[in-house]
Amino acid sequence: MKVLIIGGGRIGLAVAGLLASFGGHEAEIADITGEALDHASRRGFRTRYLDASRRKDCVEALAGFDIVVNAAPTRLAAAIATAAIEAGTHYVDTAEDIAPVSDLAAVSGHGKVILPGCGLSPGLVANLAAELVDALEGPIDMVVRVGGLPVHPSNGFGYGLSWDVDGLIAEYTGLCEGIVEGQLVSSAPLQQYESFVLNGRPYEAFSTAGGLGSLCAALQHKVRNLSFRTIRYPGHLTLARFLFEDLGLKRRRDILRTVLRFGVPDVVQDVVVIFISVRGFHQGVPAERSYVRKIYHEPMRSQFPVTALSHTSAAHLCTMIDLIEQGHIKDRGVARHEAVPFRLISENRFMTPLLN
């Protein structure tokens, strides 16, 4: 497939790097900034200038491509998806908030696949969650826990930026979707605190926005309770509440963005922690099933630095490109991750090195 990647940041470069390393698809990176284009060009990627906020320009740029990967800022998701619909190309992105794109595609009659929310979360965790739920009988209670953490934390926050500052702020300020006693609910972030130990190391987890995509709607009649929590090192939540709530910086995002961007270091040596637990019944007996995995940063085959979080998200997105090409994702218009069997993902060339 011919792939246009809009956005030459961390995730865009990671996707391009994987596609180049494994072969089978031809990719090009488009961006509005000369710095990003130069950065991508120096790594051997084909590039082009594109202002994705201009619908006409975006539609024209998509001519001749089979699929567009939206790795641009979240605010551009609806515009790029609209252009993909008009141009007749498949569309995938890594946005946590899938509603703007899903709403557009649902009424479009689009003849191609629209698949927002690829990546670690909601993408991969939705595939895993659906697999675990199908293994048990109800009533079922599920907790999905995911985190991207520095391997060697060196500050009181116990955190380093391996993703996007605006994405982190959105997670810590938006409403959290979930299921409580069979009902879809929305609740405040930075709640539902818990602590646990994995492989001898202590962690904490708490509710954050995003991360579930369409999972709640898909599992509402299968799951009694479902919550999504972000994993951090102990003590992080206390300081996060101080910044966001006690100081009121969640209402001064300009200041908050500056504090986080210049006060929290970028990291490359990170680890993705996944801990999903499901309780229900198996043959009438109470049972619990869990999925636990740590994915550590390793140099990609394309020989440029990329975080474990970006690598995992890019690998899942590239897997979706493969599955679309192979016809395993047959839905036209909006497709749901939880409908994709986990076996197809774990056996795919992009994900197998990370999951096995």
Side-chain angles (χ1 to χ4, degrees):
M1 299 182 78
K2 293 191 65 177
V3 183
L4 180 63
I5 302 168
I6 299 181
R10 277 177 170 167
I11 189 65
L13 288 174
V15 171
L18 282 176
L19 293 178
S21 297
F22 284 83
H25 304 294
E26 180 183 341
E28 185 172 330
I29 295 177
D31 204 289
I32 194 173
T33 67
E35 181 181 0
L37 293 176
D38 290 343
H39 194 57
S41 181
R42 287 197 300 270
R43 281 157 176 74
F45 301 126
R46 295 177 57 189
T47 63
R48 68 167 65 193
Y49 172 86
L50 175 64
D51 182 353
S53 67
R54 299 171 62 90
R55 183 189 58 79
K56 182 180 178 182
D57 292 352
C58 200
V59 172
E60 291 177 353
L62 289 174
F65 287 93
D66 301 300
I67 187 165
V68 56
V69 173
N70 175 15
T74 302
R75 66 179 183 277
L76 295 176
I80 296 173
T82 299
I85 291 169
E86 186 171 339
T89 62
H90 300 296
Y91 171 94
V92 292
D93 70 28
T94 57
E96 291 186 344
D97 182 5
I98 68 170
V101 171
S102 297
D103 292 345
L104 278 175
V107 297
S108 70
H110 187 48
K112 301 291 184 176
V113 175
I114 299 290
L115 190 58
C118 301
L120 172 62
S121 174
L124 178 60
V125 299
N127 305 130
L128 286 165
E131 182 89 356
L132 289 170
V133 166
D134 287 343
L136 295 178
E137 305 149 7
I140 293 174
D141 300 319
M142 170 182 285
V143 180
V144 177
R145 310 171 186 86
V146 180
L149 300 165
V151 176
H152 310 293
S154 60
N155 55 63
F157 210 37
Y159 188 68
L161 292 173
S162 57
W163 196 248
D164 173 60
V165 170
D166 291 321
L168 179 69
I169 293 174
E171 287 180 0
Y172 283 22
T173 58
L175 290 177
C176 308
E177 294 182 334
I179 300 174
V180 176
E181 298 300 327
Q183 301 298 314
L184 298 178
V185 300
S186 296
S187 59
L190 309 183
Q191 306 299 319
Q192 300 181 17
Y193 171 85
E194 66 171 333
S195 61
F196 57 90
V197 176
L198 289 178
N199 305 121
R201 183 150 199 175
Y203 298 94
E204 65 182 24
F206 49 88
S207 59
T208 56
L212 290 180
S214 58
L215 191 62
C216 288
L219 297 184
Q220 182 181 4
H221 302 296
K222 291 184 177 181
V223 174
R224 178 174 58 186
N225 295 294
L226 169 60
S227 65
F228 178 86
R229 300 170 191 174
T230 288
I231 299 172
R232 296 288 185 253
Y233 293 123
H236 179 90
L237 178 58
T238 298
L239 293 177
R241 284 175 172 169
F242 175 72
L243 284 175
F244 283 74
E245 297 177 353
D246 295 348
L247 295 183
L249 294 186
K250 66 181 180 182
R251 290 180 290 275
R252 290 298 309 273
R253 296 199 178 191
D254 54 335
I255 298 176
L256 182 58
R257 187 179 293 108
T258 300
V259 169
L260 293 174
R261 187 65 193 87
F262 293 98
V264 180
D266 283 341
V267 296
V268 174
Q269 295 171 295
D270 65 330
V271 56
V272 168
V273 184
I274 305 172
F275 178 22
I276 304 174
S277 56
V278 182
R279 291 183 178 181
F281 291 83
H282 180 66
Q283 298 180 348
V285 178
E288 181 171 354
R289 301 288 185 269
S290 297
Y291 182 91
V292 180
R293 186 148 197 91
K294 294 182 179 181
I295 302 172
Y296 287 89
H297 155 77
E298 292 181 3
M300 287 177 61
R301 289 164 59 176
S302 55
Q303 302 302 310
F304 67 89
V306 64
T307 65
L309 185 55
S310 294
H311 191 173
T312 305
S313 295
H316 184 269
L317 189 148
C318 290
T319 296
M320 296 302 106
I321 293 175
D322 269 1
L323 296 183
I324 290 171
E325 182 191 39
Q326 295 161 7
H328 291 298
I329 300 178
K330 297 182 173 62
D331 294 337
R332 292 301 181 261
V334 180
R336 288 184 165 183
H337 289 284
E338 53 272 7
V340 181
F342 179 65
R343 173 186 57 81
L344 294 177
I345 295 166
S346 64
E347 294 176 355
N348 182 270
R349 56 184 178 151
F350 294 108
M351 290 300 302
T352 295
L354 300 180
L355 299 180
N356 298 303

